[in-house]
Each structure stands twice: as C-alpha cells, then as structure tokens.
Amino acid sequence: RYFIEFFSNLIEKFKKKQEKDLILLSAITVLSACLPNYQGFYDIFFVFPNLYLFIVGNAAQGKGIIKFSKILALEIDKSLRKSAKKTIIENQNINNESKEVLIVPRMLLLPANSSSTGFFELLEKNNGCGLLFETEADTLSNIMKKEYGNYSDGLRNAFHHETICYYRRQNKEHINIEKPKLSVVLSGTPNQVYNLIPNNEDGLLSRFIFYILTKEQKFHNVFKEKDNEIENFFLQKSIEIKRIYDDLLIRTSPLKFQMTEE
C-alpha cells in the first residue's frame, strides 16, 4: 500500500501519459536495486526484485525524463560513498601515511564506462548489489566492444542471480559474487539497441523490459517551468527510500514476497 501511494505521488508530477509511463517504469526499476534482504520464490529458485529496463526512442522524443528516477537512488549512493571515504581516512590514520590508501569505493550507482574487472569489483564491494543507470546506451555498448570492457556475460548472469567469478593472474585478483543483485536502466535510439544487442540470439535481449516510444512529440516549451520543484520532490523521496533501505539492511532474515493461491 505504501508503494502504491509512493508511485502515485511520483507520476502526479507529470501531465503527459508518456511521461507518467516513463517515470513509473524507471522508478520501479531504480527501486528494485534499493531493497536488500527482500526476495521471492519463482519456479524452484529464490529471486530478488531486480529488473532490467530499456527505453527506446528517436532523438528528442522525451527519453531524458527518466533522469528524475535516478535521483531516487542518490541518498543511498551518497551514504555508501561517504562510508567508503571514512574507511580510507581511518586506514590512513592507522598506517600513519599521508598517501591515500587504495580501497575500492562503495557505491550503488555503478558507472557503465568501466572495465569488466572494475565493474564487478565495485559490484562485489557493495555485497553484489548495484544499479547501472545510463541515459546514453552507447556508453555501455562502446565499452562492451573493448576487450577489457566486455561484461555482457556478467550482465546475463546477474539477471538470474548466477555466480560471477573471475581471477586475474597479473594482480592475483579473485572476485566471487555468489548472488549478484543488479538492476539496469538504459535509454537510447533503436540503433543503440542494435549496437548493444546485435541479434535476437544475444541473451541480453530476453533480460530487458523494452518500452518503445512511437509517437512524435509536440513542441515542448523548455522555459515553462520556473524552478526545480520536481527535482526537489524526488530528492525528498530519495530520503524516504534510504530509510526503507536501512530498515531492510539490518534485518536478521530476508523479507519474503509470496503470492496468494488466487
């Protein structure tokens, strides 16, 4: 009931149906990365709330509206980064060194422009949880074309919470993420979809929810709004989500979602 009201409040800030659709879908996907210790049962497996969403449309069709949904994760991300910074300072004091101690930062919002090892290291550092939110899908597809940056297999594994494991001999790096919980929000043009998922045999295709923008947008007066009321509203909602995140994080046993027989 809380989330019904929560999402209703979000979409009430927008007038056009397409905007309401984009905000609802992107907000649900963002929140799917913000619910630790929450699981359900599907077929014979425990699964987690995480979703993959791809908004597809031509240039100037209004895809950029989803950036407001990203704000919902900012308070959690800020808290994780602050905690990591504090750890670095404490280690500096212990070691009595002026140079910065090399510690992998913690964050919820994972950068698409990462090497494969860097991306999974960040994911592992946050207990396998993360949100990849990119409004230009080419950022992800371009890095995937690099030998050091292709983590497509990891994205496929993460969708089903299958173990991601690798070892790099050079630095003796060993990463093992047993149940990755990754959510993904992308937006881009049809060509950007093909760049990332070149054919229907690519397993990424079946992982994503696709929302296709088909109607031409009418002229949008960008000077109509006189303040940042919507952004401030989403920032306040981000604080609410952080409280829910904290409450779930300290649970001694997972909260379980279960459908009734009906």
Side-chain angles (χ1 to χ4, degrees), residues 18-19 22 27-28 36 46 56 61 70 107 128-129 133 138-139 142 151-152 155 167 186 222 231 239 243-244:
Q18 177 177 287
E19 291 178 341
L22 293 179
I28 287 174
F46 277 112
V56 187
Q61 275 199 297
K70 184 178 182 179
M107 58 186 72
C129 302
F133 193 112
D138 270 353
T139 301
N142 288 339
Y151 48 90
S152 175
L155 292 181
Y167 176 77
L186 300 176
V222 296
E231 182 175 343
I239 295 172
R243 285 198 290 263
I244 294 172

Side-chain angles (χ1 to χ4, degrees), residues 163-180:
T163 300
I164 296 172
C165 184
Y166 73 81
Y167 176 77
R168 296 291 182 270
R169 186 177 61 181
Q170 183 175 1
N171 296 317
K172 293 183 169 52
E173 299 171 280
H174 178 250
I175 294 291
N176 191 76
I177 309 172
E178 289 190 3
K179 292 183 179 179

